[in-house]
Amino acid sequence: MPSRPLLALLGIAAISVFGLGLTPAAAERQVPRVLDVPTRPAFIRPPGTVERQARAGQVIAPLSQLRTQKPGRLQVLLADGQSFRLGGNALLQLDGAGLNLTGGQIIAWINPGAVRRQPLKIRTRVGTASIQGTTVFIEDQPDGVLFLSWEGSVEVTTSDGTVYTLSSGEVLRATPDGWVGPRRLSPEEMRQRRHRSILLNGFEAPMETLSVIERELGLTP
């Protein structure tokens, strides 16, 4: 029979999980983790440590840096229902204020049913994209940064404070000569992006908003 001190510790653990309204399985899901690494190289560097190969199921420490090198890709689920995929020589820093993308490609979305009090913010060198219940794609390349709303409303605030709002299927681009758009993609452009995207295809872990994208934009796999 367990001793009294052990019973007390078990009671505290139960309170910490069930007192917050979480089952043990739900409590585990609150931990940020890697869901899928379909291709490598892909790396994670927790603060104060060396970079290591990312692996499915790996827990991600706060303030970690994530990096992919072509053809590497990975998918991450964070504690608040935020999910994202990285690829295309991507470099991203996690912090308490959101995500900081300094290169490559990201597609980010809020899982259906997730409760977020604040929009998800993705910072880039030219501005910040804010989403809530939405799917956004961002590509940062040397010749510019592209923002695309795959579904829902995406607000892009530029470094000088200008605010653009993108609707489903609209794209905005920052170039050396200034901002271009928003512009709605043609049906053919959307179909090509859907079929060729390295972040929409080839993952085992599901993307919960993909069916919403295809329904809203009239696309098929």
Side-chain angles (χ1 to χ4, degrees), residues 92-105:
L92 179 136
Q93 180 79 40
L94 302 179
D95 60 43
L99 308 175
N100 186 8
L101 180 72
T102 56
Q105 298 183 12

Side-chain angles (χ1 to χ4, degrees), residues 53-214:
Q53 288 277 0
R55 64 185 188 279
Q58 179 179 357
V59 172
I60 304 175
L63 306 180
S64 291
Q65 183 182 85
L66 283 62
R67 183 173 72 88
T68 64
Q69 181 179 328
K70 290 182 179 179
R73 297 171 296 163
L74 59 80
Q75 179 171 330
V76 171
L77 172 66
L78 297 184
D80 55 6
Q82 161 191 332
S83 293
F84 64 87
R85 292 173 174 175
L86 289 179
N89 291 334
L91 182 63
L92 179 136
Q93 180 79 40
L94 302 179
D95 60 43
L99 308 175
N100 186 8
L101 180 72
T102 56
Q105 298 183 12
I106 183 173
I107 189 165
W109 67 94
I110 308 299
N111 295 332
V115 178
R116 285 190 61 89
R117 294 184 176 85
Q118 299 296 328
L120 164 62
K121 295 183 181 296
I122 307 172
R123 297 187 303 282
T124 73
R125 58 190 168 95
V126 297
T128 299
S130 299
I131 69 171
Q132 189 159 357
T134 306
T135 305
V136 65
F137 169 78
I138 303 174
E139 182 173 27
D140 186 335
Q141 298 296 336
D143 61 347
V145 181
L146 179 142
F147 300 83
L148 166 63
S149 170
W150 270 113
E151 54 90 15
S153 178
V154 175
E155 185 175 276
V156 179
T157 304
T158 70
S159 299
D160 66 5
T162 303
V163 178
Y164 296 94
T165 301
L166 309 182
S167 299
S168 300
E170 288 189 335
V171 65
L172 176 69
R173 186 185 297 272
T175 74
D177 297 322
W179 289 83
V180 179
R183 176 182 71 86
R184 183 171 176 82
L185 297 177
S186 69
E188 180 59 25
E189 286 177 304
M190 287 187 283
R191 280 193 294 270
Q192 288 184 5
R193 283 187 171 274
R194 168 65 184 92
H195 295 317
R196 298 176 181 176
S197 171
I198 64 171
L199 298 185
L200 290 180
N201 301 287
F203 285 76
E204 291 187 5
M207 179 178 175
E208 291 82 355
T209 61
L210 187 55
S211 61
V212 179
I213 292 172
E214 293 175 339

